[in-house]
Amino acid sequence: MRFVKGHGTENDFVILPDPDAALDLAPAAVAALCDRRAGIGGDGVLRVVRTKLCPEVADQAGRAEWFMDYRNADGSVAEMCGNGVRVFARYLVASGLAAPGEFGVATRGGVKRVRLASEGDVTVDMGRPRVLGESRTTVNGREYHGLNVNMGNPHLACLIDDPVAELDLTEQPRFDREVYPDGVNIELINQVADDALSMRVHERGSGETRSCGTGAVATAVAAAHASGRTTGTWAVHVLGGTVTVTLDEKTSYLSGPAVLVASGDWPAVLHA
């Protein structure tokens, strides 16, 4: 079985071309692929499948030919992945499945419009963030309060004074399971300039990652909220690089690099 490896600011993915929906991705198989010592290694799996062949998103087929079936590194199913969409779009263009320019990608969080050339950054319309109140997390024994932001998937974005570079995110931060019954992506954020933010993230189902696209947008939303703004552009610095988030009155945009780094054959049989 063919695979491609790609990353967006070092948020890395195993891409599985499956145009005819022939693969049965059991959670254990996904976890094996993402294992960094015994597998290919990645923060998640992006299955490339025709939208019309997937009942859960078939209603999006008229607006997007290809469905990004995203799985977290532990095999759990996720609604959306901002960096994943950008890497997915880069793969579609590089493999000839889509032309450079603008097109839609089907996701469990709805159709996302992407824009890219043959080279350079990839931009995705992430949709309008939904702010659902506030919540809190505990990291290294310290409690932090933050904004409950939904980007098609759940986030808790916390602007904090403690340096994020000094946090230990090897363990799952505590959070309110009544607010987030299905888990949550947790962002810890420092404001480093008026329009620049430093962020680290512990992702649901993957642990700490080098970057998180939906989390970068949630980070900008939290910064905007704290300063009384609703629009603007922020540079979000993550461990794997920098992405740009733009908020306007109707939607949000995420821009940054998306790179394909390797391809090959995986011998394992991916069935339950």
Side-chain angles (χ1 to χ4, degrees):
M1 185 191 65
R2 294 293 295 172
F3 73 88
V4 177
K5 180 75 180 286
H7 75 91
T9 50
E10 299 181 7
N11 193 190
D12 59 340
F13 308 95
V14 179
I15 305 163
L16 298 180
D18 185 26
D20 299 322
L23 295 178
D24 180 8
L25 282 184
V30 173
L33 283 167
C34 292
D35 190 301
R36 296 191 181 280
R37 292 178 176 82
I40 297 166
D43 293 324
V45 165
L46 309 174
R47 185 172 70 117
V48 184
V49 59
R50 287 188 174 88
T51 307
K52 65 182 180 181
L53 299 180
C54 300
E56 65 181 312
V57 293
D59 61 329
Q60 301 177 30
R63 295 177 291 152
E65 181 179 2
W66 298 100
F67 168 46
M68 182 186 76
D69 178 11
Y70 179 62
R71 314 296 177 98
N72 294 312
D74 65 356
S76 59
V77 173
E79 303 91 341
M80 242 299 285
C81 178
N83 287 330
V85 169
R86 296 189 303 101
V87 172
F88 188 91
R90 172 63 68 209
Y91 169 78
L92 291 180
V93 169
S95 62
L97 297 177
E102 185 172 333
F103 54 87
V105 172
T107 77
R108 293 183 180 88
V111 173
K112 304 300 178 184
R113 300 294 297 178
V114 295
R115 185 173 68 252
L116 68 157
S118 297
E119 298 180 354
D121 287 354
V122 179
T123 299
V124 54
D125 183 339
M126 298 288 286
R128 188 170 188 168
R130 290 191 295 141
V131 177
L132 304 175
E134 298 182 352
S135 191
R136 62 189 184 279
T137 184
T138 301
V139 181
N140 307 156
R142 296 288 300 274
E143 184 173 273
Y144 300 115
H145 290 256
L147 209 60
N148 179 0
V149 182
N150 192 285
M151 292 301 307
N153 58 353
H155 291 268
L156 175 57
C158 305
L159 273 168
I160 66 174
D161 294 326
D162 295 333
V164 297
E166 297 177 7
L167 297 177
D168 180 359
L169 293 182
T170 55
E171 300 292 332
Q172 168 72 59
R174 294 173 57 189
F175 60 90
D176 188 338
R177 293 194 176 273
E178 291 188 2
V179 177
Y180 301 106
D182 299 318
V184 62
N185 304 287
I186 298 173
E187 289 81 36
L188 290 308
I189 310 152
N190 290 153
Q191 184 107 31
V192 295
D194 285 346
D195 296 312
L197 305 159
S198 180
M199 181 265 278
R200 287 177 65 192
V201 57
H202 191 284
E203 289 200 58
R204 176 183 60 169
S206 297
E208 183 177 16
T209 58
R210 303 280 294 175
S211 179
C212 175
T214 52
V217 179
T219 290
V221 171
H225 182 82
S227 62
R229 300 164 62 183
T230 57
T231 63
T233 298
W234 286 263
V236 181
H237 304 297
V238 295
L239 294 178
T242 300
V243 294
T244 301
V245 176
T246 300
L247 305 178
D248 66 23
E249 296 292 358
K250 295 183 178 180
T251 191
S252 60
Y253 298 93
L254 173 71
S255 298
V259 184
L260 306 179
V261 297
S263 63
D265 293 298
W266 177 257
V269 179
L270 295 185
H271 293 287

